[in-house]
Amino acid sequence: MKCSKCAEKAVYHRRYEGTYYCKNHFIYMFEKRFLKEIRKSKMLHRKDIVAVGLSGGKDSSSLLYLFNKFAKMFGIEVVAIGIDEGLKKYRPKTLKAASKLCKSIGVGYHIVSFKSGIGVSLDDLPKKLKKRKINWCSWCGVWRRWLLNKSAKKFGATKLAVGHNLDDEAQSILMNFMRGDWRHLQYKPDDKNDCVDAGFIRRIKPLGWAPEKETTLYATLLRLPFCSAECPRSFGMLRRKVGRLLNEIELAHPGTKQQVICTADRIKASSKTGIKAASVCKQCGEVSANKICRACEMRQIVGK
Ligand SMILES: [Zn+2]
Ligand SMILES: [Zn+2]
């Protein structure tokens, strides 16, 4: 197949749009869309220090590369933070890829571990919880977000960027439906809360529009060092099942994932009571809707 824009060989077919892209036109489209998203949602201000949560996977690697490429244009500084949850059979290889990328583009990389930041690594969790059946993604996700927020502020960042793609976003929305978590479906992030002093740091997701296939292709075409291993603890978890289901439906009905996100955006827009995390956790000072945040509750359970 030929590119829809020129005579070159196509490397990608965007099925929901019916367009074919050659390597150059794909990269051009991907970067243009990234810039558009940042401008549209007013994600950046000049002099921002953007902390990118860098896991070493294709999404966050693409994201860091993009921020670094356009840093001068935006007038921002970029740092990368890696969270090491302590899965010995998995994390070291992804952190290695992440370090390699940071070195090659000259971005500082800070690695923060669960062990040092929380006092317990994920590998130690079964010992600590004894009889409990462990929902790994939940424990990991809550602590990861908490530690990333804290670390971003510690390293002087004014924005925290995460590499969530369209697939991740659509999965999260469906999971909220399935778990009856209507609060999250109504939650409107308060974009005005740019102030770091108050404990808030705005979290931005400039790749939320990009299907996983596209972030993978972008990182591959640019030969970014990234690790494609999947977390061994995520097998059997709800997110993986929802992801498979969505892929199956998307194949037969292209554009489904976008529709899921559009619907959720409309629910948010029509919700009168945007639920805001108005207060801070009494224990750690991080933003929380309750007196004690979920991360601190979970730390108490394991005695930390
Ligand atoms: Zn082309
Ligand atoms: Zn807390």
Side-chain angles (χ1 to χ4, degrees):
M1 264 301 174
K2 284 231 162 76
C3 173
S4 303
K5 321 249 172 201
C6 74
E8 289 293 313
K9 192 176 134 244
V11 295
Y12 181 61
H13 179 206
R14 219 183 208 183
R15 290 181 68 232
Y16 64 87
E17 193 185 69
T19 317
Y20 289 87
Y21 291 91
C22 68
K23 179 183 171 187
N24 287 340
H25 274 113
F26 176 80
I27 292 172
Y28 176 77
M29 172 277 291
F30 194 87
E31 293 181 349
K32 201 171 134 187
R33 188 68 209 272
F34 165 79
L35 296 172
K36 189 181 150 196
E37 198 61 25
I38 293 210
R39 290 196 182 106
K40 191 186 87 191
S41 305
K42 297 191 176 68
M43 288 180 187
L44 296 177
H45 297 305
R46 294 198 86 77
K47 301 211 169 120
D48 258 340
I49 300 173
V50 178
V52 178
L54 180 67
S55 67
K58 72 244 177 292
D59 303 312
S60 58
S61 300
S62 297
L63 186 64
L64 179 71
Y65 178 86
L66 284 162
F67 270 121
N68 188 57
K69 177 169 179 172
F70 297 107
K72 259 202 190 126
M73 194 184 93
F74 283 123
I76 57 163
E77 268 178 59
V78 183
V79 295
I81 301 174
I83 302 291
D84 177 4
E85 74 293 272
L87 294 175
K88 280 203 188 75
K89 286 190 184 140
Y90 165 65
R91 190 51 68 192
K93 48 191 176 196
T94 74
L95 290 177
K96 204 173 150 196
S99 302
K100 202 172 157 193
L101 173 66
C102 288
K103 217 175 203 176
S104 76
I105 59 175
V107 169
Y109 190 34
H110 306 279
I111 298 175
V112 185
S113 70
F114 273 21
K115 190 94 196 169
S116 67
I118 290 162
V120 58
S121 77
L122 225 52
D123 276 342
D124 295 338
L125 210 51
K127 254 186 285 165
K128 295 273 176 198
L129 294 177
K130 302 207 170 90
K131 278 179 205 153
R132 280 169 177 261
K133 184 172 175 263
I134 301 172
N135 182 345
W136 292 96
C137 292
S138 166
W139 285 86
C140 184
V142 169
W143 279 344
R144 177 178 300 277
R145 271 192 300 278
W146 183 79
L147 206 50
L148 202 51
N149 258 33
K150 261 180 74 148
S151 308
K153 282 186 278 183
K154 187 175 133 198
F155 298 124
T158 51
K159 297 279 158 64
L160 172 58
V162 289
H164 295 189
N165 61 38
L166 178 95
D167 294 54
D168 299 324
E169 294 295 301
Q171 287 159 15
S172 299
I173 292 162
L174 287 190
M175 286 165 71
N176 287 335
F177 263 101
M178 290 168 178
R179 291 191 296 220
D181 191 348
W182 57 274
R183 281 170 199 277
H184 265 104
L185 291 166
Q186 288 194 320
Y187 174 70
K188 282 190 227 174
D190 189 351
D191 294 347
K192 283 178 215 96
N193 271 329
D194 266 0
C195 176
V196 183
D197 306 337
F200 295 103
I201 184 162
R202 188 176 163 196
R203 205 179 169 88
I204 53 174
K205 300 175 187 173
L207 294 181
W209 57 272
E212 190 173 273
K213 263 189 192 167
E214 296 188 14
T215 57
T216 309
L217 184 59
Y218 183 77
T220 307
L221 291 175
L222 286 167
R223 295 170 187 251
L224 304 181
F226 70 90
C227 177
S228 46
E230 289 181 86
C231 173
R233 289 294 188 193
S234 72
F235 293 92
M237 294 286 124
L238 180 63
R239 181 173 286 279
R240 298 277 294 235
K241 294 173 193 162
V242 171
R244 271 201 304 274
L245 181 76
L246 264 172
N247 283 343
E248 205 178 291
I249 300 171
E250 177 75 31
L251 199 66
H253 308 278
T256 298
K257 290 173 189 170
Q258 269 96 349
Q259 283 306 330
V260 169
I261 287 167
C262 284
T263 309
D265 284 345
R266 284 192 190 123
I267 292 175
K268 275 186 219 277
S270 65
S271 122
K272 286 187 192 103
T273 52
I275 295 154
K276 286 172 201 164
S279 56
V280 289
C281 169
K282 280 198 173 144
Q283 286 205 350
C284 68
E286 288 294 309
V287 177
S288 169
N290 303 314
K291 276 184 193 157
I292 307 278
C293 76
R294 187 84 188 105
C296 286
E297 273 176 16
M298 289 161 96
R299 285 196 302 165
Q300 281 169 358
I301 295 173
V302 296
K304 293 289 168 187

Short mmCIF file of all heavy atoms in Angstrom, two decimals, residues 146 281 283-285 293 296, ligand 2:
data_model
loop_
_atom_site.label_atom_id
_atom_site.label_comp_id
_atom_site.label_asym_id
_atom_site.label_seq_id
_atom_site.Cartn_x
_atom_site.Cartn_y
_atom_site.Cartn_z
N TRP A 146 1.24 7.91 44.06
CA TRP A 146 1.60 8.69 45.25
C TRP A 146 3.09 9.06 45.24
O TRP A 146 3.47 10.21 45.44
CB TRP A 146 1.26 7.83 46.49
CG TRP A 146 1.48 8.45 47.82
CD1 TRP A 146 0.67 9.35 48.45
CD2 TRP A 146 2.58 8.20 48.72
NE1 TRP A 146 1.18 9.67 49.69
CE2 TRP A 146 2.35 8.98 49.88
CE3 TRP A 146 3.72 7.40 48.66
CZ2 TRP A 146 3.22 8.98 50.96
CZ3 TRP A 146 4.59 7.39 49.74
CH2 TRP A 146 4.34 8.17 50.87
N CYS A 281 -4.12 15.05 52.66
CA CYS A 281 -4.03 13.93 53.61
C CYS A 281 -3.33 14.40 54.89
O CYS A 281 -2.31 15.07 54.84
CB CYS A 281 -3.25 12.80 52.95
SG CYS A 281 -2.78 11.49 54.09
N GLN A 283 -1.76 12.68 56.99
CA GLN A 283 -0.49 12.00 57.27
C GLN A 283 0.65 12.44 56.37
O GLN A 283 1.76 12.63 56.82
CB GLN A 283 -0.70 10.50 57.14
CG GLN A 283 -1.48 9.96 58.30
CD GLN A 283 -1.19 8.50 58.53
OE1 GLN A 283 -0.56 7.84 57.74
NE2 GLN A 283 -1.68 8.01 59.65
N CYS A 284 0.36 12.55 55.06
CA CYS A 284 1.47 12.78 54.13
C CYS A 284 1.42 14.14 53.45
O CYS A 284 2.37 14.56 52.80
CB CYS A 284 1.52 11.68 53.09
SG CYS A 284 0.12 11.73 51.95
N GLY A 285 0.28 14.83 53.55
CA GLY A 285 0.18 16.16 52.94
C GLY A 285 -0.10 16.13 51.45
O GLY A 285 -0.16 17.17 50.81
N CYS A 293 -5.24 9.63 52.88
CA CYS A 293 -5.28 9.19 51.48
C CYS A 293 -5.15 7.67 51.39
O CYS A 293 -4.74 7.00 52.33
CB CYS A 293 -4.20 9.88 50.66
SG CYS A 293 -2.53 9.25 50.91
N CYS A 296 -1.70 6.17 52.11
CA CYS A 296 -1.36 6.07 53.55
C CYS A 296 -2.15 4.95 54.23
O CYS A 296 -1.62 4.27 55.09
CB CYS A 296 -1.60 7.41 54.24
SG CYS A 296 -0.34 8.62 53.81
ZN ZN B 2 -1.42 10.32 52.68
#
